[in-house]
């Protein structure tokens, strides 16, 4: 429950948790469809109300309402050959900072209130979601960019296959960042990897905004005590409030800390450019 998450956060010294549950878990294949519980199925208002209630009960921890939409997926194979496969279902964007009406109309391939045309290519569909979130002053990041290769599995009559998607991360623009740690550090976040390339594009004027590196925790009810705080985003916010946290993360006023190897804290940092006298500190 949200209350349990809030209590666990307080126990581990966490001030804020961004909830990014499934926005919608629905698949359509011809005239058939299959749907599991999700934010949309259970109701947007109910989702916000439960988070608000948890925040009232525990003022020491802020829970923020976010979601993981499904902008795009495709099918291959067929049932007769036992190789019916859905592709890119776990090619993940996570968004937060939207109010109830904006989240209700979040573009998703199966959301009737804001359905994405299936004729869009994958990158176009994801760009539509990114643009929508930006227009509504939200925050959007790419999630688990390198781990997707491990999601090939069979469930019932349907196979699931999501390949790594660093190229899509590079081809889209306007998002706030990429979840580099821990699932994206091996390829996307490696030295000279896609994140380095995008930062280089920014400093050369070929990308309008920088792309920040985020940490995320994949938490389910069975592993909340294990994975809840292995990685932290340490945010320099002007106040302990949702607007202040969102603004700080949009501006990149945070750094990532892993608590697995010890409680290391950055008190001050400096950056300089050998080609010019300009520098920065914080």
């Amino acid at each position: 429950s949200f209350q349990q998450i809030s209590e666990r956060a307080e126990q581990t010294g966490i001030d804020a948790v961004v909830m990014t549950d499934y926005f919608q878990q629905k698949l359509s294949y011809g005239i058939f469809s299959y749907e599991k519980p999700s934010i949309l199925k259970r109701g947007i208002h109910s989702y916000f109300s439960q988070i608000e209630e948890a925040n009232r009960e525990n003022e020491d921890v802020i829970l923020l309402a976010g979601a993981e939409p499904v902008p795009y997926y495709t099918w291959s194979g067929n049932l007769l050959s036992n190789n019916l496969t859905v592709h890119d279902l776990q090619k993940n964007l996570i968004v937060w900072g939207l109010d109830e009406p904006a989240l209700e109309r979040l573009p998703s391939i199966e959301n009737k209130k804001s359905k994405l045309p299936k004729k869009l290519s994958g990158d176009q569909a994801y760009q539509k979601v990114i643009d929508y979130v930006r227009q509504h002053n939200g925050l959007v990041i790419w999630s688990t960019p390198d781990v997707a290769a491990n999601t090939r599995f069979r469930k019932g009559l349907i196979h699931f296959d999501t390949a790594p998607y660093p190229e899509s991360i590079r081809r889209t623009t306007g998002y706030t960042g990429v979840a580099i740690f821990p699932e994206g550090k091996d390829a996307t976040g490696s030295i000279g990897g896609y994140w380095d390339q995008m930062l280089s594009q920014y400093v050369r004027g070929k990308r309008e905004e920088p792309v920040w590196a985020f940490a995320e925790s994949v938490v389910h009810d069975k592993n909340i005590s294990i994975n809840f705080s292995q990685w932290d985003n340490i945010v320099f916010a002007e106040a302990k409030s949702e607007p202040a946290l969102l603004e700080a993360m949009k501006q990149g006023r945070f750094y990532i800390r892993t608590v697995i190897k010890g409680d290391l804290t950055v008190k001050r940092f400096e950056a300089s450019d050998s080609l010019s006298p300009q520098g920065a500190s914080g």
Side-chain angles (χ1 to χ4, degrees):
S1 69
F2 293 110
Q3 283 80 3
Q4 289 173 313
I5 292 172
S6 180
E7 290 170 3
R8 179 62 184 167
E10 184 179 11
Q11 292 168 4
T12 52
I14 293 175
D15 295 313
V17 180
V18 180
M19 307 296 302
T20 54
D21 210 341
Y22 291 112
F23 178 67
Q24 188 176 28
Q25 292 194 92
K26 184 178 180 180
L27 288 173
S28 296
Y29 180 75
I31 62 173
F32 302 101
S33 65
Y34 174 70
E35 187 169 9
K36 293 178 67 177
S38 64
I39 295 172
L40 199 60
K41 185 174 177 63
R42 291 179 171 173
I44 300 291
H45 181 70
S46 174
Y47 180 57
F48 274 82
S49 296
Q50 291 180 58
I51 288 177
E52 290 170 2
E53 181 180 356
N55 286 337
R56 285 194 300 270
E57 291 183 4
N58 185 2
E59 295 182 353
D60 293 325
V61 176
I62 304 172
L63 299 186
L64 293 83
E68 181 184 301
V70 179
Y72 182 76
Y73 65 81
T74 58
W75 293 96
S76 68
N78 59 74
L79 287 170
L80 295 177
S81 301
N82 195 31
N83 64 353
L84 182 63
T85 304
V86 59
H87 301 271
D88 290 342
L89 199 64
Q90 291 297 319
K91 188 174 177 179
N92 297 330
L93 285 175
I94 53 179
V95 308
W96 68 92
L98 303 181
D99 59 17
E100 281 191 47
L103 187 59
E104 193 169 27
R105 298 189 302 272
L106 179 66
S108 188
I109 196 167
E110 298 288 353
N111 185 9
K112 294 181 179 179
K113 292 191 176 181
S114 188
K115 199 169 185 177
L116 285 164
K118 294 188 178 181
K119 64 181 180 181
L120 292 176
S121 72
D123 291 335
Q124 290 174 331
Y126 285 92
Q127 189 64 61
K128 286 281 188 182
V129 175
I130 293 168
D131 293 343
Y132 177 86
V133 175
R134 286 286 299 269
Q135 291 166 4
H136 290 81
N137 299 315
L139 190 151
V140 55
I141 72 172
W142 282 98
S143 173
T144 60
D146 299 342
V147 172
N150 297 326
T151 63
R152 295 189 176 96
F153 60 95
R154 185 179 186 276
K155 188 173 184 180
L157 298 176
I158 300 175
H159 300 259
F160 293 77
D161 185 359
T162 301
Y165 39 92
E167 284 292 339
S168 292
I169 294 173
R170 189 165 64 174
R171 286 192 292 257
T172 51
T173 60
Y175 53 90
T176 313
V178 181
I180 299 293
F181 299 97
E183 290 91 356
K185 60 183 173 61
D186 294 330
T188 303
S190 63
I191 296 174
Y194 283 90
W195 184 45
D196 269 4
Q197 294 171 30
M198 289 183 290
L199 291 177
S200 295
Q201 290 174 353
Y202 169 68
V203 298
R204 295 198 308 267
K206 295 183 178 181
R207 185 176 282 265
E208 291 186 5
E209 297 173 339
V211 175
W212 309 121
F214 284 79
E216 63 181 346
S217 296
V218 180
V219 176
H220 301 284
D221 58 347
K222 294 179 181 179
N223 68 358
I224 186 171
S225 62
I226 301 172
N227 293 341
F228 195 66
S229 184
Q230 291 188 349
W231 295 84
D232 291 335
N233 297 291
I234 308 299
V235 184
F236 296 94
E238 294 182 356
K240 189 176 176 179
S241 66
E242 181 172 350
L245 286 168
L246 287 169
E247 183 59 27
M249 286 187 282
K250 287 178 183 178
Q251 298 297 325
R253 298 200 302 269
F254 66 95
Y255 69 92
I256 297 167
R257 178 188 67 177
T258 174
V259 298
I260 302 172
K261 298 179 181 179
D263 191 11
L264 179 65
T265 302
V266 175
K267 295 295 186 181
R268 178 178 174 81
F269 67 89
E270 294 184 358
S272 62
D273 182 357
S274 61
L275 301 179
S276 72
Q278 294 181 344
S281 63

